[in-house]
Amino acid sequence: MLPQPLKKVLIKTPWQLMIRRLLLIFVIASSASIHKNPLVAGASSPSNTSPSSTSISPTTTTTASIMTEFPPPKDYSHLMMDGWFHERGPLWPGQAFTLQIKEVLYHKKSKFQDILVFDSEKYGKVFVLDGVIQCTERDECSYQEMMAHIPLYAHPNPKKVLVIGGGDGGVLREIARHPTVEEIVICELDEDVIRIAKQYLPFMACGFDDPRVTVHVRDGAQFMKENKASFDVIITDSSDPVGPACVLFETPFYQAMHDSLREGGIVCTQGECVWLHVDLIQPLVKAVTPLFDTVEYAYCTIPSYPSGQIGFVIGKKAGGGEGHPKGCKVPVRTPEEEVAKELRYYTPEIHGAAFVLPAFAKRAIFGDD
């Protein structure tokens, strides 16, 4: 059953559709000019200044400055028009990504965010939070596999793993492929995400079925403060740094991850896109580098994410003794034969290649050295 807004756009005449498009353009333009929201990366308050807000010229149009001027609207129904979902967002101004809708499966607000699941014509099931695509059935493998396997195969013997966010279960599914892992803990703030994933995204939510998984519906930062020096690998599968998720891109959160790691432990966090967000990535990497023995940046390709690419900030804590190499660019373990046959994206070769950045990105993030 399609929701009322989508039903309406599917039965209009061409003349009515043209009028609707013009009205939609007017509404979007109006909302872009009148809404303000300080809870975004790059905005500052007397008690909190994000690293991404530093060294930004007032005359330069940057991702961070746009985010403070154009927060996401409260109602995302306008993104479904003429039987298509149109992903537009403040983190990728001037561009959009569109998927044809076969059927809307779920569209409601949780306590924290707008949740949409639809079946698409070419990308299978699509999971959307606050108007932003989180995963599609067609290409989710690249993000989930790289997010999990880069840090895990860079660790010689990971036994205890923490996931912050990741309520769709995809990262859990990949962690569960590692036989050395004895305990998998996930902290997801929005329990509706878990419930909806289990109902509509079983190809990812199957990760919750592993008996090693323990679920905490709570704030991950506070959980880490209560569990210091406890985990070998911490993976933060976060949404973009807008609204409540912006704190996951700030130095205190990385400090909490560092303190919750065991010696030689590794953190891997969602690191945005080098084609769009170097003004966010560079200050974040610079700010967290003093916390870790090494901080590196890797990426993967994924068609349904803005500009077809997403990155990972990977930090390694000092210590660990023999068998712990410096950095995470070279895997110290490789997938078992049966696991390798199941993987669709990750290989030991692509693990190393993921750290080879385009020249412009390397200079922007790490400088000329």
Side-chain angles (χ1 to χ4, degrees):
M1 179 67 68
L2 296 177
Q4 291 301 317
L6 189 60
K7 281 184 177 179
K8 292 177 182 177
V9 302
L10 292 177
I11 59 175
K12 297 291 184 181
T13 67
W15 175 248
Q16 290 172 309
L17 289 174
M18 183 175 69
I19 294 174
R20 182 178 175 83
R21 290 190 188 100
L22 292 174
L23 289 172
L24 180 64
I25 292 170
F26 174 78
V27 170
I28 293 172
S30 299
S31 66
S33 63
I34 65 175
H35 290 289
K36 306 287 183 182
N37 183 1
L39 292 177
V40 292
S44 61
S45 66
S47 60
N48 179 32
T49 301
S50 167
S52 61
S53 65
T54 61
S55 302
I56 296 176
S57 168
T59 60
T60 303
T61 301
T62 66
T63 302
S65 64
I66 289 170
M67 287 164 61
T68 62
E69 296 298 324
F70 182 21
K74 293 181 179 180
D75 182 6
Y76 293 88
S77 298
H78 69 276
L79 297 180
M80 292 183 287
M81 183 177 66
D82 302 341
W84 291 74
F85 172 78
H86 304 267
E87 183 189 60
R88 306 183 185 94
L91 278 170
W92 43 95
Q95 68 182 62
F97 181 71
T98 302
L99 289 175
Q100 189 173 10
I101 298 171
K102 182 184 292 184
E103 179 184 5
V104 173
L105 303 174
Y106 181 93
H107 189 199
K108 290 183 180 179
K109 271 190 172 293
S110 73
K111 181 179 178 181
F112 300 99
Q113 55 204 334
D114 182 274
I115 302 176
L116 167 67
V117 183
F118 67 90
D119 194 9
S120 67
E121 291 291 344
K122 297 297 182 182
Y123 277 71
K125 302 287 195 315
V126 182
F127 183 49
V128 183
L129 296 178
D130 281 344
V132 178
I133 293 173
Q134 304 299 304
C135 60
T136 79
E137 193 170 1
R138 177 180 178 180
D139 61 8
E140 54 87 13
C141 61
S142 64
Y143 175 78
Q144 316 291 352
E145 291 181 16
M146 295 293 276
M147 170 71 82
H149 298 314
I150 286 179
L152 284 166
Y153 282 121
H155 195 291
N157 190 28
K159 293 186 177 297
K160 192 172 181 179
V161 181
L162 172 65
V163 179
I164 305 295
D168 53 44
V171 168
L172 296 178
R173 179 193 67 199
E174 298 307 317
I175 296 171
R177 300 187 194 276
H178 291 256
T180 66
V181 174
E182 298 173 354
E183 186 176 353
I184 308 169
V185 180
I186 178 171
C187 288
E188 167 60 58
L189 191 61
D190 193 341
E191 61 184 339
D192 282 358
V193 169
I194 298 174
R195 177 177 60 84
I196 296 306
K198 288 181 177 181
Q199 183 174 355
Y200 296 105
L201 310 170
F203 52 93
M204 291 196 299
C206 59
F208 286 101
D209 297 336
D210 192 281
R212 294 169 289 178
V213 173
T214 301
V215 179
H216 296 275
V217 179
R218 59 171 300 184
D219 174 32
Q222 184 60 37
F223 179 84
M224 289 188 291
K225 290 178 182 178
E226 298 168 5
N227 292 271
K228 296 184 182 294
S230 299
F231 298 97
D232 298 302
V233 173
I234 299 175
I235 297 170
T236 301
D237 180 12
S238 66
S239 53
D240 294 312
V242 178
C246 69
V247 298
L248 305 183
F249 289 76
E250 296 173 352
T251 307
F253 184 77
Y254 278 78
Q255 182 70 63
M257 286 193 290
H258 173 275
D259 295 345
S260 193
L261 282 176
R262 295 168 175 167
E263 289 190 358
I266 300 169
V267 300
C268 179
T269 70
Q270 191 263 96
E272 296 301 324
C273 174
V274 298
W275 292 103
L276 299 168
H277 306 131
V278 289
D279 62 310
L280 292 175
I281 300 166
Q282 188 276 335
L284 174 61
V285 169
K286 182 178 180 180
V288 304
T289 292
L291 301 178
F292 296 92
D293 188 42
T294 61
V295 175
E296 297 164 312
Y297 190 87
Y299 71 96
C300 70
T301 61
I302 177 166
S304 63
Y305 282 5
S307 293
Q309 181 268 336
I310 193 74
F312 312 100
V313 177
I314 302 167
K316 185 167 185 178
K317 190 173 182 176
E322 188 176 351
H324 281 261
K326 190 176 181 67
C328 299
K329 294 181 179 180
V330 179
V332 296
R333 299 181 300 111
T334 57
E336 298 176 345
E337 183 177 356
E338 287 304 311
V339 171
K341 290 179 180 178
E342 295 173 350
L343 297 177
R344 297 167 56 199
Y345 192 94
Y346 178 89
T347 66
E349 294 78 16
I350 209 166
H351 180 128
F355 291 87
V356 181
L357 302 180
F360 79 90
K362 183 179 179 181
R363 284 193 295 265
I365 299 170
F366 297 104
D368 295 325
D369 295 338

